[in-house]
Amino acid sequence: MKHDEPKITFRERDFKGSRLRCLLLTSQSDNEVASFLSSLVAPHASVTPEDHWAPRGLREPGEGKLGETPRFLPEANQDALTRWWLANPGRANTPNWDLVSTCRINDRPGLVLVEAKAHEAELGDDRCGAADTDNIDRIDLALAEAMAGWNAMMPGFVLSAKTHYQLSNRFAFAWKLATMGVPVVLVYLGFLDAKEME
């Protein structure tokens, strides 16, 4: 190994469950990744090898952050999305996506947003971990706005920072992006036979 090559470090959790499977999936060739993603979202969207996604396998394992990763949204949209979600971004950030990809939806540029799971415990109840009270207030407002938007289309949505937060913020971000003119396909992807999670 050359000394000037960048080093990649992994956390223990990167070798388990849905995280490992997303890294392995995106370690394949661009054609294979695009084909798999297209199969997930057909007939609503299509992904080509020219699209951008994150992570990009074990060599580029970073998850997509829509408020920070430039290849997914124009800078103005990144800023608007971050301001909508956080009062004080600082060290806080918008949610990380297990897998995010650009795509075409009805011949328009859009996004595929994937939340992946490999164990039923990952579907359990969770809460927002924000510590900054201004950020908590802003997240609550954003969730309330998104909940009202979803309920106007299809009554029955309850989005909260106090329960099932990860599911809530996924629906909130999908809704907000759509209101910004970015078409979205939101996917909950379940991996089977993750024996190491038992």
Side-chain angles (χ1 to χ4, degrees):
M1 180 168 140
K2 296 179 183 175
H3 292 291
D4 59 345
E5 285 186 12
K7 291 184 181 175
I8 301 170
T9 58
F10 294 93
R11 297 161 292 184
E12 185 178 339
R13 75 177 187 95
D14 291 331
F15 294 100
K16 291 188 199 174
S18 57
R19 174 72 172 140
L20 173 63
R21 280 143 185 89
C22 286
L23 291 174
L24 293 175
L25 166 69
T26 55
S27 289
Q28 299 178 80
S29 72
D30 288 355
N31 285 334
E32 291 171 309
V33 175
S35 176
F36 176 79
L37 291 174
S38 283
S39 74
L40 279 181
V41 296
H44 307 291
S46 62
V47 178
T48 70
E50 289 72 38
D51 277 301
H52 303 285
W53 51 79
R56 290 195 67 86
L58 295 166
R59 292 185 62 86
E60 295 178 50
E63 293 176 316
K65 298 179 186 179
L66 299 179
E68 299 174 26
T69 311
R71 60 185 176 241
F72 299 122
L73 293 171
E75 190 173 340
N77 283 7
Q78 290 177 17
D79 292 342
L81 199 58
T82 299
R83 285 193 312 275
W84 173 72
W85 194 251
L86 297 170
N88 302 310
R91 290 178 14 182
N93 61 35
T94 55
N96 300 347
W97 293 88
D98 291 320
L99 187 52
V100 58
S101 178
T102 58
C103 67
R104 299 295 292 180
I105 300 174
N106 295 328
D107 208 32
R108 294 175 53 201
L111 291 173
V112 175
L113 304 175
V114 178
E115 178 61 25
K117 302 295 182 195
H119 192 274
E120 67 182 50
E122 292 181 291
L123 299 171
D125 198 5
D126 61 324
R127 302 171 62 91
C128 176
D132 183 295
T133 56
D134 291 334
N135 282 344
I136 293 168
D137 291 344
R138 180 69 56 86
I139 290 167
D140 282 338
L141 285 172
L143 288 168
E145 183 184 355
M147 184 169 67
W150 277 110
N151 280 309
M153 294 182 285
M154 184 183 299
F157 278 83
V158 177
L159 305 182
S160 171
K162 295 177 178 61
T163 181
H164 298 90
Y165 171 67
Q166 194 173 71
L167 180 64
S168 294
N169 71 42
R170 279 10 187 193
F171 276 102
F173 268 73
W175 174 83
K176 182 60 175 177
L177 287 164
T179 67
M180 296 167 70
V182 180
V184 171
V185 175
L186 178 62
V187 177
Y188 258 71
L189 176 62
F191 290 102
L192 301 176
D193 300 321
K195 305 296 187 194
E196 78 279 8
M197 298 299 287
E198 291 178 353

